[in-house]
Amino acid sequence: MQKSIEVEYWVVDEDGELTEPEELTDVSENVEEEFVPPLFELKTPPCETYGDLRSAFVEQLDRVLRRADELDKRLVPFGTPVNGERIERWPTERGRIQKRVLGTNFDYAKYCAGTHLHFEKRNVVDQLNTLIGLDPALALLNSSPYFRGTRVANGARAYLYRKKCYEKFPKHGQLWEYADTVGEWERRLDRRYEEFSRAAVEAGIDEETVEAHFTPDDVVWTPVRLRDEMPTVEWRAPDAALPSQILRAAEEIDAVMEQLHHTNVRVGGTTGGVTEDEIVLPGFETLREYVNEAIHEGLESPDVAGYLERMGFDVQGYDPITPKIDGREYVTRSEACELRLEYAEMLRRDVSRLLRN
């Protein structure tokens, strides 16, 4: 089963100030600007094995870091920039429409950097439901508790996306319930598109303009998505994080995704667990409690840690960034710059270790 990684990293200068990627995006066709100037995205090609995925990811990052050295730039593995100047969006018609529909809440998205894992479509309903059930694993990669200097949650990015950015359109940005069929999932997408289109027209955007820039496939920003373009099932819940941590999560989630092709997947009970014989997903209301704790408490929640262990994760093997930088109610701009430089250096060392191994 093919799989791939996409990760967004903040770009800073030698002083830790946010800056644009500029020539960094010339490194390869798999590196590109994101929708705000200080972010860029690195994508791996689809890979058949985890070993190939690891090699592609590390080698591409190493190339980007070498080019960053030449440009006096650094890459920062935080889910948010912690604090800093206001971030503006690159001007696009799509962004303009979203801002008209979502209002000022849409601005929260400008401060979020994440990791996306793609898995080739096979048993699509089981894949969708399993990734929904694994959503609390976002806690494994929580990498910033701060939004514009203020502490908001163990996983600030997930909180901002799900609770703030799409507060007025929760079904467009929050976790969806398990699906019975692909057709049911697609009908949900159609309804979300219709809702968005109506809201855009009410906000003064003509329907033809909406149709030119949005489709049911790309009108939602839910943590689990079906992607026709790839075609993959995508899990987009976790923060940007250190590469070794992303790879650990990718390997363990890939193992579960491979197993579901050879075993039974069912929803039932409150505990959940992965065994040789079956994958059991907890009822959705229970799952939602785990997800909320993953966002607000991270791995410090015994319930979340226990659940993830039952679902096949070696929780003790993870070392998320949030607990290391947490503890302050407010982080100043200068302190944020220091943190960004500190963790940019950690990212560099992390990639060096991965290359040696």
Side-chain angles (χ1 to χ4, degrees):
M1 178 176 62
Q2 292 191 329
K3 67 268 313 178
S4 62
I5 294 172
E6 299 175 1
V7 61
E8 301 157 343
Y9 284 130
W10 302 102
V11 183
V12 299
D13 61 22
E14 290 185 302
D15 296 320
E17 296 282 359
L18 298 172
T19 190
E20 296 180 18
E22 296 174 324
E23 291 92 339
L24 269 185
T25 57
D26 298 335
V27 170
S28 82
E29 61 183 10
N30 297 315
V31 181
E32 59 187 38
E33 290 180 342
E34 257 297 334
F35 68 103
V36 293
L39 266 185
F40 90 105
E41 182 176 63
L42 183 148
K43 304 177 180 181
T44 70
C47 299
E48 191 64 39
T49 69
Y50 168 74
D52 291 341
L53 181 67
R54 183 189 188 281
S55 296
F57 186 49
V58 175
E59 288 168 8
Q60 286 192 119
L61 264 175
D62 182 52
R63 289 177 62 191
V64 172
L65 288 171
R66 290 175 185 273
R67 182 63 177 136
D69 283 344
E70 296 171 357
L71 299 171
D72 295 325
K73 297 180 187 291
R74 307 287 184 266
L75 307 184
V76 182
F78 287 165
T80 74
V82 178
N83 199 355
E85 66 273 20
R86 288 186 62 85
I87 296 174
E88 297 303 328
R89 190 180 294 103
W90 291 117
T92 66
E93 184 65 7
R94 182 179 167 90
R96 183 183 74 86
I97 296 170
Q98 289 171 288
K99 181 65 177 287
R100 289 286 291 274
V101 173
L102 299 176
T104 56
N105 282 30
F106 187 48
D107 290 339
Y108 289 105
K110 299 185 299 187
Y111 298 86
C112 297
T115 298
H116 306 164
L117 302 181
H118 289 264
F119 300 93
E120 177 187 354
K121 288 180 180 178
R122 295 262 182 103
N123 301 351
V124 176
V125 173
D126 284 346
Q127 288 176 303
L128 282 171
N129 290 340
T130 299
L131 286 177
I132 290 169
L134 294 180
D135 196 58
L138 66 89
L140 301 169
L141 301 182
N142 282 351
S143 59
S144 173
Y146 301 108
F147 168 63
R148 301 195 72 182
T150 301
R151 191 190 191 284
V152 294
N154 191 281
R157 170 184 169 272
Y159 172 80
L160 294 174
Y161 253 123
R162 303 189 193 195
K163 306 299 183 183
K164 305 299 289 184
C165 190
Y166 295 97
E167 183 177 18
K168 298 177 183 177
F169 293 84
K171 292 180 180 178
H172 285 74
Q174 296 185 12
L175 189 68
W176 285 1
E177 294 191 26
Y178 303 119
D180 292 326
T181 65
V182 174
E184 176 195 343
W185 189 272
E186 291 175 342
R187 286 191 292 275
R188 294 180 192 176
L189 287 171
D190 289 338
R191 289 194 293 271
R192 302 295 81 79
Y193 177 81
E194 292 167 3
E195 291 169 2
F196 184 86
S197 181
R198 282 197 303 271
V201 170
E202 291 171 2
I205 309 294
D206 64 83
E207 191 170 345
E208 292 74 17
T209 301
V210 177
E211 291 176 354
H213 295 280
F214 294 89
T215 68
D217 182 52
D218 64 12
V219 78
V220 298
W221 292 264
T222 49
V224 178
R225 292 174 65 183
L226 275 185
R227 304 305 299 273
D228 290 337
E229 181 183 354
M230 315 292 279
T232 61
V233 184
E234 178 189 19
W235 184 55
R236 48 192 295 117
D239 288 356
L242 289 171
S244 61
Q245 299 287 285
I246 292 172
L247 286 168
R248 179 181 290 272
E251 182 178 22
E252 294 191 327
I253 293 176
D254 181 51
V256 178
M257 297 298 281
E258 289 284 0
Q259 184 175 339
L260 67 80
H261 302 308
H262 312 289
T263 192
N264 183 50
V265 178
R266 66 177 178 89
V267 178
T270 60
T271 55
V274 173
T275 68
E276 292 183 2
D277 300 322
E278 63 179 356
I279 297 172
V280 182
L281 308 174
F284 189 72
E285 289 307 313
T286 299
L287 175 67
R288 191 148 54 184
E289 293 175 7
Y290 287 135
V291 171
N292 284 334
E293 289 188 33
I295 293 172
H296 288 280
E297 300 179 42
L299 295 183
E300 295 176 26
S301 163
D303 289 342
V304 170
Y307 174 70
L308 294 179
E309 289 282 359
R310 294 193 299 274
M311 297 304 290
F313 294 93
D314 176 16
V315 173
Q316 297 302 315
Y318 288 86
D319 190 20
I321 292 172
T322 282
K324 299 178 182 298
I325 66 174
D326 206 350
R328 287 173 277 195
E329 288 301 315
Y330 187 80
V331 179
T332 66
R333 280 189 59 177
S334 62
E335 290 170 336
C337 287
E338 292 173 4
L339 284 172
R340 291 197 290 258
L341 288 175
E342 178 183 350
Y343 278 85
E345 181 59 29
M346 287 192 180
L347 185 148
R348 181 190 302 279
R349 293 175 184 172
D350 194 54
V351 172
S352 294
R353 284 193 295 269
L354 290 167
L355 284 169
R356 288 197 302 272
N357 295 331

